[in-house]
């Protein structure tokens, strides 16, 4: 027999078996006659590195794919990365700055060369890290959202939606990131509560010495005020109707307008209107045909249109303008104020509402099927609680701003003539042809392409379609699409999930996936979100070096219920590693029996019953596992598997069939043990792929490649003997009772005992041979009378006796029994009191009453037995 190392070496096993899986193309998928099972990876940023959120998300994807593969499905997990316009461009700009190069000094083509160089250098890091985790992706299918064909599909979808009048260009109020110098969609703005100030500013009423006071948190926007607004029903301000006021410092006369939009109870009840720098003010401005003053540059400094503080930063101006208002006697007061402020998801800069000419997707009609098919459960959310927030967002959906003022990304296929007219086309030649239909004299030198790129999400919303070239070929998409399961985080439900569903129904008239499993956020044990700035996020690669990939996988999943946050503690990974060691030691024990097989031995009754029980227990647990997987209770599936191994297989079964020291084992028991161990390895494989492959290959000789546990058949649920499962529960209590007597009375395990049983209940004696084996009994003798001078214990209505050995303290035993009798009488008294309480009996559920009455009956029976036993001691 080959020598098995005393300790499992995860690092050696991980490198060896991943190379083996890759060599034999075990993750590769091509369409065939089998049922497909497809997952597309949420593409991480191309320049990203593995973090704890990736670990959780990709571990769950991997275990779903591995299980499907073992179920005989044609399992495909498509990997890839996202070009991440804002994040990647920011990194490239930062890198160039360190080299003394400004983006503004480069042409677009020169900058893109740097961006591609950066992508080629850093783009594969996270995918290689996923391999360390054990990710069973078909790496030959790795996609990138800037791949040529993928790029084409993004541009073609833009052109298609434009032709359908579902994309338009218009001047709208958008979210502007002054740091990244680009527009943001509503979903890219993160709102936080911030301690601010509320400034109460005086606006003089034209032609009078009076003034009206208006409260604002952004006094710098006074420079763009073009009206003040009051509610027409507000009696306090009726004298202002039709009047004008003077904007402080800039001394601009602006009208007082009336609109029921103004909340009379908020602030002073009087609102300053800055149409170019507030979403709601913009709508008021359009309605009342107000002048629009864009008083801020794109970098957050004051523009010439602002007249004052030109070139100063907006926050510097906020402080300075407050001083100047106070000096001019126009600042009534300031108050501390808690308000919500929008921050850029990418740069963390405070977002500015800004009037800008941008490209938008009209979402109203596009989004309807995506709402209906989630609400009717054609697409199921796990957990379903996320349907409510999804519905709320979809029912209040706004048009999607898709243009970004960047160079890295999919360039908008729009071309402009010198007179401002434009055409949407894939190439300059196609655009020129469209222009020339209207103006034959126009030439190629007269048109320029839109410099902006498309929102990153406008490419990733096509991910489930474009990874299969679904816009240009039916060969693969008709087989793999719709995909099965999507594993993602709830924070990108609107960014990505909703939009993929929209694209699926728009371009395939079909859902893109059947299930969406939402993971929680990985937090530290104090409940804080993990982040580099807090220094509370461990490096997953370092964790895998310490605890092994399987240990970290198990640690991540031990406390990660769907949709709920995971409080990560490194001790969970240690628990995962300990679990791996437990399985390894169990394997070494079983394998050591191989050389003790005696083919002349018949299977003993104790082993026969033990095998029957273990097979029934496995099938019972396998059924529970299927239910847990079907409802995406992944953490529960792991805990069920964990208990099967630790409690049932290791703590009980292996002890039940283990040959006595120096003895042989019969072949039937050994083969049955290996068989159930192999089934256990199969259900563990999705969670712990490396360890299970290592043991699987050492367990017996396998065919190269095809003999991998990766492609071993997932066990099917066979019949379960419920009687033997119930009998085991009783049997285990008998074993514990005997062991307790040995322990409490210092009776050595090697000393053989006789167990006498007075069984009056209907409990099975099916496990008697196993009890004898585990407890070193010469026999279990059935008796009617209670023997004198014996240790005893009571189970339900049955009583068990072990005759005293020579050195037993009879008086001490009497005292022990008397104490147990006194305790049981006290317990009975408390139950009797409960059952004699009329209010309790009338209000308690029937099941509770039944439980209490059973406790009462058991206590009465136990008291009787204890009293009888005390009487036998002499």
């Amino acid at each position: 027999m080959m020598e098995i190392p005393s300790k499992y070496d995860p690092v050696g096993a991980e490198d060896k078996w991943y190379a083996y899986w890759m060599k034999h193309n075990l993750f590769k998928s091509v369409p065939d006659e089998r049922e497909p099972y497809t997952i597309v990876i949420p593409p991480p940023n191309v320049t990203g590195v593995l973090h704890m959120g990736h670990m959780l998300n990709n571990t769950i994807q991997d275990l779903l794919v591995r299980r499907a593969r073992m179920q005989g499905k044609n399992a495909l997990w498509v990997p890839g990365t996202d070009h991440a316009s804002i994040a990647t461009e920011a990194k490239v700009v930062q890198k160039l700055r360190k080299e003394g190069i400004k983006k503004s000094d480069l042409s677009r083509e020169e900058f893109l060369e740097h961006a591609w160089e950066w992508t080629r250098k850093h783009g594969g890091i996270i995918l290689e890290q996923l391999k360390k985790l054990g990710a069973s992706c078909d790496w030959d299918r790795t996609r990138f959202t800037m791949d040529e064909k993928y790029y084409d599909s993004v541009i073609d979808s833009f052109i298609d939606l434009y032709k359908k009048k579902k994309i338009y260009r218009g001047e709208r109020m958008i979210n502007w990131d002054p740091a990244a110098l680009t527009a943001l969609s509503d979903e890219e703005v993160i709102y936080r509560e911030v301690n601010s100030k509320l400034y109460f500013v005086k606006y003089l009423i034209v032609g009078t010495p009076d003034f009206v006071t208006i409260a604002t948190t952004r006094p710098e926007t006074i420079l763009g005020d073009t009206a003040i607004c009051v509610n027409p029903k507000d009696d306090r301000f009726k004298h202002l109707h039709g009047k004008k006021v003077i904007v402080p410092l800039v001394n601009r006369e602006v009208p007082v307008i009336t609109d029921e939009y103004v909340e009379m109870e908020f602030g002073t009840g009087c609102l300053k209107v800055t149409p170019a720098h507030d979403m709601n003010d913009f709508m008021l401005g359009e309605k009342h045909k107000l002048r629009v003053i864009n008083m801020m540059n794109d970098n957050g400094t004051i523009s010439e249109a602002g007249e004052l503080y030109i070139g100063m930063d907006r926050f510097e101006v906020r402080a300075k303008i407050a001083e100047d208002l106070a000096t001019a006697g126009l600042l009534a007061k300031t108050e501390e104020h808690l308000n919500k402020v929008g921050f850029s998801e990418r740069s963390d800069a405070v977002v500015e509402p800004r009037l800008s000419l941008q490209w938008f997707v009209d979402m109203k009609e596009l989004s309807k099927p995506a709402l209906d098919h989630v609400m009717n459960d054609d697409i199921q959310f796990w957990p379903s609680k996320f349907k409510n927030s999804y519905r709320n967002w979809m029912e209040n959906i706004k048009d999607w701003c898709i243009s970004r003022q960047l160079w890295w990304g999919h360039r908008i296929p729009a071309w402009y003539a010198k007179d401002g007219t434009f055409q949407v086309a894939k190439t300059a030649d196609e655009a020129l042809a469209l222009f020339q239909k209207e103006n034959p004299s126009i030439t190629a030198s007269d048109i320029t392409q839109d410099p902006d790129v498309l929102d990153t999400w406008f490419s990733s919303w096509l991910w489930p379609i474009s990874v299969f070239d679904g816009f240009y070929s039916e060969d693969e998409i008709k087989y793999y699409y719709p995909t099965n399961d999507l594993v993602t985080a709830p924070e990108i439900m609107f960014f990505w999930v909703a939009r993929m569903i929209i694209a699926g129904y728009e371009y395939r008239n079909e859902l893109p996936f059947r299930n969406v499993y939402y993971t929680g956020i990985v937090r530290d044990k104090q409940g804080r979100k993990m982040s580099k700035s807090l220094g509370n996020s461990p490096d997953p690669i370092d964790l895998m070096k310490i605890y092994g990939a399987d240990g970290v996988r198990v640690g991540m999943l031990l406390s990660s219920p769907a949709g709920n946050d995971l409080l990560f503690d490194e001790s969970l990974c240690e628990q995962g590693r300990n679990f791996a060691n437990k399985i390894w030691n169990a394997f070494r024990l079983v394998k050591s029996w191989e050389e003790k097989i005696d083919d002349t031995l018949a299977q003993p009754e104790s082993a026969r019953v033990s095998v029957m029980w273990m097979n029934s227990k496995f099938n019972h647990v396998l059924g529970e596992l299927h239910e847990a997987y079907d409802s995406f209770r992944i953490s529960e599936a792991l805990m069920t598997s964990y208990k099967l191994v630790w409690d049932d297989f290791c703590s009980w079964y292996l002890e039940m069939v283990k040959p006595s020291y120096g003895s042989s084992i019969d072949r039937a028991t050994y083969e049955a043990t290996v068989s159930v161990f192999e089934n256990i390895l199969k259900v563990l494989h999705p969670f712990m792929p490396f360890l299970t492959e290592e043991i699987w290959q050492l367990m017996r000789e396998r065919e190269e490649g095809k003999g991998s546990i990766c492609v071993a058949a997932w066990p099917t649920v066979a019949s379960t003997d419920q009687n033997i499962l119930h009998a085991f529960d009783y049997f285990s209590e008998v074993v514990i009772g005997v062991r307790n007597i040995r322990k409490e009375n210092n009776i050595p395990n090697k000393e053989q005992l006789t167990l006498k049983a007075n069984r009056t209940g209907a409990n099975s004696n099916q496990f008697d041979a196993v009890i004898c084996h585990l407890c070193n009994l010469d026999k279990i003798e059935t008796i009617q009378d209670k023997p004198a001078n014996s240790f005893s214990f009571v189970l339900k209505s049955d009583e068990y006796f072990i005759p005293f050995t020579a050195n037993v303290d009879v008086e001490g035993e009497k005292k022990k029994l008397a104490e147990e009798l006194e305790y049981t009488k006290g317990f009975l008294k408390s139950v009797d009191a409960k059952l004699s309480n009329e209010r309790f009996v009338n209000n308690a559920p029937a099941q509770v009453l039944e439980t209490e009455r059973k406790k009462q009956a058991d206590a009465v029976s136990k008291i009787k037995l204890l009293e009888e036993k005390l009487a036998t001691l002499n």
Side-chain angles (χ1 to χ4, degrees):
M1 187 183 75
M2 75 171 72
E3 187 169 343
I4 298 167
S6 60
K7 290 186 178 179
Y8 170 60
D9 172 24
V11 175
E14 287 161 17
D15 291 343
K16 174 176 65 178
W17 293 119
Y18 205 89
Y20 177 88
W21 296 329
M22 294 292 286
K23 175 186 174 183
H24 295 288
N25 292 319
L26 297 182
F27 308 151
K28 192 167 182 61
S29 173
V30 292
D32 59 26
E33 71 287 348
R34 290 176 294 166
E35 176 190 347
Y37 176 85
T38 316
I39 286 184
V40 292
I41 199 170
N45 288 359
V46 67
T47 58
V49 292
L50 201 64
H51 58 60
M52 297 304 285
H54 291 134
M55 282 288 291
L56 174 62
N57 186 292
N58 287 284
T59 296
I60 292 170
Q61 289 178 80
D62 190 50
L63 73 89
L64 293 174
V65 170
R66 285 181 181 274
R67 177 171 177 260
R69 191 178 289 119
M70 295 173 77
Q71 288 176 312
K73 296 174 184 174
N74 190 351
L76 170 62
W77 184 10
V78 181
T81 50
D82 189 282
H83 66 285
S85 291
I86 296 175
T88 303
E89 182 150 327
K91 284 182 181 291
V92 176
V93 168
Q94 186 180 31
K95 175 234 178 199
L96 291 172
R97 192 180 298 126
K98 288 178 181 176
E99 296 171 2
I101 304 170
K102 292 181 182 177
K103 178 186 172 185
S104 56
D105 294 337
L106 299 174
S107 68
R108 185 186 194 106
E109 289 68 27
E110 287 170 337
F111 178 81
L112 289 177
E113 281 180 24
H114 284 285
W116 275 110
E117 181 188 342
W118 175 268
T119 300
R120 282 189 287 269
K121 183 177 179 182
H122 299 277
I125 292 174
I126 194 166
L127 299 183
E128 290 304 311
Q129 290 177 322
L130 286 176
K131 293 176 184 178
K132 293 290 184 187
L133 174 66
S136 59
C137 301
D138 184 346
W139 297 105
D140 292 341
R141 290 178 174 271
T142 303
R143 300 302 302 267
F144 177 42
T145 50
M146 291 280 280
D147 287 343
E148 187 177 349
K149 270 194 175 179
Y150 201 109
Y151 194 105
D152 285 346
S153 67
V154 174
I155 300 305
D156 287 340
S157 65
F158 180 99
I159 295 168
D160 174 69
L161 290 173
Y162 177 77
K163 287 177 179 176
K164 292 173 179 173
K165 301 191 184 309
K166 292 177 179 177
I167 281 182
Y168 64 90
R169 186 174 186 246
E171 192 171 46
R172 297 285 184 275
M173 187 62 62
I174 52 97
N175 303 296
W176 182 260
D177 182 338
L181 301 179
T182 185
L184 303 172
S185 67
D186 292 342
E187 294 72 40
E188 291 170 301
V189 180
I190 309 299
Y191 287 92
R192 299 187 207 132
E193 287 196 332
V194 174
N195 289 315
S196 303
K197 281 191 168 66
L198 198 57
Y199 300 84
F200 291 79
V201 182
K202 298 176 183 178
Y203 287 65
L204 293 172
I205 301 166
V206 173
T208 77
D210 301 327
F211 59 84
V212 61
T213 303
I214 298 174
T216 178
T217 57
R218 300 165 69 213
E220 67 277 9
T221 61
I222 285 171
L223 306 175
D225 286 355
T226 57
I228 68 167
C229 187
V230 297
N231 192 304
K233 296 177 182 176
D234 195 333
D235 292 335
R236 294 174 296 170
F237 300 115
K238 286 204 170 170
H239 67 288
L240 293 178
H241 294 191
K243 300 281 183 70
K244 289 187 175 184
V245 298
I246 299 171
V247 178
L249 301 181
V250 291
N251 298 321
R252 180 189 308 123
E253 289 190 10
V254 298
V256 177
I257 60 172
T258 60
D259 199 290
E260 290 188 0
Y261 163 76
V262 178
E263 295 179 26
M264 291 186 281
E265 298 78 20
F266 183 76
T268 62
C270 192
L271 181 77
K272 63 190 274 312
V273 185
T274 319
H277 298 284
D278 183 274
M279 302 283 185
N280 297 312
D281 290 9
F282 175 72
M283 289 186 283
L284 278 174
E286 280 199 321
K287 182 177 177 181
H288 294 276
K289 297 181 171 52
L290 298 177
R291 180 185 171 194
V292 177
I293 301 173
N294 198 337
M295 43 70 59
M296 199 175 293
N297 295 316
D298 58 8
N299 63 355
T301 59
I302 305 303
S303 69
E304 290 188 5
E307 299 182 33
L308 302 174
Y309 315 108
I310 296 166
M312 285 179 64
D313 180 78
R314 54 189 168 150
F315 296 119
E316 292 176 9
V317 173
R318 183 172 299 177
K320 184 71 170 69
I321 204 170
E323 290 177 14
D324 292 348
L325 286 167
T327 301
L330 298 174
L331 185 65
K333 62 177 178 175
T334 60
E335 289 180 357
E336 295 300 317
H337 180 65
L338 187 68
N339 68 321
K340 285 190 173 180
V341 175
F343 290 81
S344 167
E345 189 216 15
R346 295 297 183 189
S347 70
D348 205 40
V350 174
V351 169
E352 283 292 337
R354 190 166 189 258
L355 192 61
S356 181
L357 191 59
Q358 302 285 345
W359 290 92
F360 295 85
V361 179
D362 186 335
M363 299 294 278
K364 287 177 281 297
E365 287 304 313
L366 271 178
S367 63
K368 191 175 184 308
L371 174 60
D372 296 343
H373 287 282
V374 169
M375 300 319 295
N376 68 14
D377 284 335
D378 287 343
I379 299 170
Q380 288 191 278
F381 282 8
W382 304 90
S384 59
K385 67 179 182 180
F386 288 110
K387 285 172 67 175
N388 291 330
S389 48
Y390 179 86
R391 178 179 59 195
N392 182 58
W393 186 77
M394 294 294 279
E395 286 178 346
N396 297 282
I397 199 164
K398 296 177 182 176
D399 287 356
W400 175 15
C401 176
I402 55 169
S403 42
R404 298 289 180 271
Q405 288 62 54
L406 303 164
W407 282 352
W408 174 247
H410 305 87
R411 192 170 181 182
I412 292 173
W415 309 78
Y416 301 93
K418 291 175 180 177
D419 62 1
T421 59
F422 67 88
Q423 297 288 349
V424 170
K426 195 166 185 177
T427 66
D429 289 343
E430 290 174 19
L432 182 60
L434 292 171
F435 275 116
Q436 287 178 338
K437 283 182 182 177
E438 297 172 9
N439 180 3
S441 64
I442 204 164
T443 66
S445 61
D446 296 323
I447 65 172
T448 54
Q449 188 176 354
D450 196 310
D452 294 349
V453 298
L454 291 161
D455 178 12
T456 295
W457 300 104
F458 191 82
S459 57
S460 53
W461 79 324
L462 305 176
W463 188 249
I465 301 172
S466 291
V467 293
F468 300 115
D469 294 329
F471 284 92
Y472 310 111
S473 170
E474 288 294 308
D475 292 348
E476 291 209 325
I477 198 160
K478 69 182 179 184
Y479 179 76
Y480 290 114
Y481 188 98
T483 67
N484 293 74
D485 303 323
L486 177 74
V487 181
T488 190
E491 55 260 40
I492 58 171
M493 185 194 305
F494 311 125
F495 282 127
W496 194 45
V497 178
R499 289 168 179 163
M500 281 192 290
I501 298 172
I502 291 169
Y505 283 104
E506 176 67 16
Y507 287 111
R508 301 295 304 176
N509 196 28
E510 198 170 12
L511 46 80
F513 28 72
R514 295 183 174 87
N515 297 288
V516 182
Y517 176 96
Y518 290 108
T519 64
I521 296 170
V522 183
R523 299 183 181 275
D524 65 16
K525 55 188 175 184
Q526 296 176 44
R528 301 175 302 172
K529 188 173 180 179
M530 287 189 168
S531 69
K532 286 181 183 176
S533 59
L534 287 174
N536 63 346
S537 182
D539 183 338
I541 300 298
D542 289 343
L543 287 177
M544 287 190 277
K545 287 175 183 175
I546 299 168
Y547 302 105
D550 291 336
V552 179
R553 287 167 70 114
V554 169
M556 293 293 292
L557 295 175
L558 278 171
S559 59
S560 59
N564 293 323
D565 292 350
L566 182 155
L567 297 181
F568 179 78
D569 187 335
E570 198 167 318
S571 64
L572 292 169
C573 296
E574 187 175 0
Q575 187 178 347
R577 180 181 63 187
N578 293 345
F579 185 44
N581 290 336
K582 182 79 170 178
I583 299 163
W584 183 256
N585 289 334
F587 164 63
R588 291 181 68 238
L589 175 65
V590 171
K591 198 67 175 171
S592 72
W593 299 344
E594 190 172 33
E595 58 188 15
K596 298 178 182 177
I597 296 172
D598 184 344
D599 287 322
T600 66
L601 284 179
Q603 186 177 43
E605 176 63 12
S606 62
R608 186 190 70 80
V609 172
S610 300
V611 169
M612 283 175 57
W613 167 74
M614 189 66 229
N615 285 333
S616 276
K617 184 67 179 180
F618 176 80
N619 281 297
H620 175 75
V621 169
L622 186 60
E624 291 180 339
L625 280 176
H626 286 182
E627 288 178 18
Y629 273 115
D630 289 346
S631 52
F632 289 87
R633 301 194 308 272
I634 304 298
S635 188
E636 184 181 319
L638 172 59
M639 282 309 303
T640 300
S641 305
Y642 187 99
K643 289 174 183 174
L644 171 70
V645 174
W646 199 287
D647 298 340
D648 302 316
F649 186 68
C650 293
S651 298
W652 280 107
Y653 176 75
L654 292 181
E655 294 298 314
M656 289 156 71
V657 299
K658 183 168 72 174
S660 303
Y661 181 74
S663 301
S664 300
I665 188 170
D666 65 282
R667 183 167 293 280
T669 302
Y670 178 77
E671 293 295 344
T673 301
V674 168
S675 177
V676 75
F677 202 164
E678 287 181 330
N679 275 335
I680 286 171
L681 290 174
K682 288 177 183 179
V683 298
L684 284 174
H685 177 71
F687 299 105
M688 309 175 82
F690 296 109
L691 172 75
T692 51
E693 186 73 81
E694 177 82 354
I695 296 176
W696 180 261
Q697 296 288 349
L698 289 170
M699 188 76 82
R700 63 174 95 212
E701 198 169 322
R702 310 283 181 186
E703 183 182 353
E704 180 74 12
K706 291 180 182 177
S708 169
I709 195 171
C710 278
V711 289
W714 184 262
T716 53
V717 180
S719 60
T720 301
D721 183 346
Q722 292 296 332
N723 291 328
I724 202 169
L725 295 182
H726 292 310
F728 173 84
D729 295 336
Y730 181 82
F731 140 79
S732 60
E733 291 296 321
V734 175
V735 171
I736 291 167
V738 174
R739 286 175 171 173
N740 284 343
I741 286 174
R742 280 191 183 274
K743 183 179 178 183
E744 290 164 10
N745 296 282
N746 297 315
I747 303 172
N749 290 329
K750 65 183 179 182
E751 184 175 339
Q752 199 167 54
L753 303 173
T754 297
L755 182 64
K756 298 187 177 187
N758 183 358
R759 292 172 173 148
T760 59
N763 298 301
S764 169
N765 62 357
Q766 188 175 11
F767 281 89
D768 280 5
V770 189
I771 296 170
C772 289
H773 177 69
L774 285 176
C775 299
N776 192 17
L777 305 176
D778 60 354
K779 62 182 175 180
I780 298 176
E781 182 183 325
T782 300
I783 59 171
Q784 299 299 322
D785 300 321
K786 296 172 176 55
N789 295 342
S790 298
F791 300 110
S792 68
F793 59 92
V794 177
L795 286 179
K796 298 182 179 176
S797 57
D798 297 344
E799 192 167 17
Y800 289 87
F801 302 89
I802 294 175
F804 286 168
T805 54
N807 301 318
V808 171
D809 177 5
V810 176
E811 290 305 314
E813 186 64 18
K814 280 183 179 179
K815 184 182 177 186
K816 230 187 315 182
L817 285 170
E819 288 173 354
E820 189 176 358
L821 177 62
E822 194 64 29
Y823 171 80
T824 309
K825 284 180 176 178
F827 176 75
L828 177 62
K829 188 177 179 181
S830 70
V831 175
D832 285 344
K834 217 183 258 188
L835 290 171
S836 61
N837 184 322
E838 194 175 326
R839 179 183 286 181
F840 173 77
V841 172
N842 290 337
N843 293 313
Q847 190 178 350
V848 172
L849 281 175
E850 186 183 337
T851 301
E852 292 301 317
R853 287 178 181 136
K854 188 172 184 312
K855 286 180 186 175
Q856 184 185 50
D858 287 346
V860 168
S861 176
K862 188 172 183 180
I863 289 168
K864 183 169 180 281
L865 289 168
L866 288 167
E867 287 174 338
E868 289 172 354
K869 185 173 179 190
L870 266 170
T872 66
L873 293 179
N874 49 52

